[in-house]
Amino acid sequence: DIQPENDNIKVNSLRVYENSQFNVPKIYITNKLPKETLVNRSNTNDNSIYKRLEHLPKLSIINLMDYSSEGLTLLTDDKSFAHYMQRPYGNKTVERQYRVRLHGLLTPGKILGLSHGITVNNVKYKPMIVRDFNKQAKEKQNKEKMKKDPNGANRWIRVVTNDLHVRGVKNVFESMYCKVTRFICTQY
């Protein structure tokens, strides 16, 4: 058993005390379904994540996603904490991971460029890690598709970043002439 009054418990090198003067926000984890909205529960929209979670207290979304995105969604009972985590100047040590399906030609040179960061429409994005799913197995198949469709074939990639949300990731790839056709948050 952990006994905070006797044990030395630390998070990021800071000691945690049992009777803290700070309220610790509760975080709820759920899965956002495709075409499910993130609008407030006061809206009568039947396809809202709040409608599905109406048995919980009033919550704020931590990781914003658009209508067509899906996957891991974090909610909290502390609105100011949610806003802090959503902002670009917020907690940038939190790594986000997405599975993204692209249509277009994503070359190794473009992937390498993303590992150094990129500027799109005067917005500087931090470096991100991009990995191809089943790269070697699909390489031959993609070459055949590329011969038929020079604009590129659909391919799944994994994007790891601590800087971007859905809109930022989509902006980066669209600047490379790759259309995001599916977006799934897998880690936050």
Side-chain angles (χ1 to χ4, degrees):
D1 287 340
I2 297 175
Q3 299 174 346
E5 64 278 356
N6 299 329
D7 296 331
N8 189 10
I9 303 168
K10 292 185 177 185
V11 176
N12 292 337
S13 303
L14 298 173
R15 181 145 191 242
V16 177
Y17 296 94
E18 179 183 21
N19 295 326
S20 175
Q21 62 189 13
F22 303 105
N23 291 330
V24 178
K26 290 181 182 172
I27 297 176
Y28 298 86
I29 301 170
T30 189
N31 185 45
K32 181 192 170 297
L33 306 173
K35 299 183 180 178
E36 187 173 50
T37 63
L38 299 177
V39 295
N40 192 333
R41 75 173 81 211
S42 61
N43 189 331
T44 58
N45 186 346
D46 289 338
N47 202 26
S48 167
I49 196 168
Y50 289 108
K51 184 78 169 174
R52 190 165 45 93
L53 303 174
E54 63 188 352
H55 61 283
L56 294 174
K58 186 172 182 178
L59 300 173
S60 297
I61 302 287
I62 292 177
N63 57 324
L64 298 172
M65 290 194 281
D66 62 10
Y67 180 70
S68 61
S69 301
E70 60 187 290
L72 177 70
T73 305
L74 303 179
L75 301 101
T76 182
D77 60 353
D78 186 333
K79 193 173 187 175
S80 61
F81 176 68
H83 285 299
Y84 173 77
M85 294 299 288
Q86 292 168 3
R87 299 293 170 241
Y89 54 82
N91 188 347
K92 294 195 178 202
T93 60
V94 176
E95 193 173 81
R96 299 163 181 94
Q97 183 171 299
Y98 307 104
R99 284 186 63 211
V100 181
R101 187 173 66 191
L102 297 176
H103 181 77
L105 183 58
L106 186 63
T107 63
K110 289 179 181 178
I111 292 173
L112 181 63
L114 292 174
S115 69
H116 299 292
I118 186 171
T119 301
V120 177
N121 296 329
N122 296 322
V123 176
K124 185 172 172 95
Y125 295 106
K126 287 190 172 186
M128 65 179 81
I129 299 168
V130 177
R131 298 278 187 256
D132 241 334
F133 283 111
N134 303 323
K135 182 179 178 181
Q136 294 161 346
K138 299 268 184 177
E139 195 68 36
K140 185 177 178 182
Q141 188 180 31
N142 282 341
K143 284 182 182 177
E144 292 299 319
K145 286 182 181 178
M146 290 299 291
K147 288 178 186 174
K148 295 176 187 173
D149 182 6
N151 295 324
N154 281 323
R155 69 194 302 172
W156 282 99
I157 61 168
R158 179 179 60 143
V159 177
V160 180
T161 180
N162 62 358
D163 187 39
L164 302 174
H165 290 288
V166 176
R167 190 177 304 128
V169 173
K170 287 183 176 183
N171 289 344
V172 165
F173 287 107
E174 287 175 3
S175 76
M176 297 179 176
Y177 305 104
C178 293
K179 181 178 171 139
V180 175
T181 58
R182 194 139 175 232
F183 194 93
I184 303 171
C185 179
T186 58
Q187 178 181 315
Y188 195 97

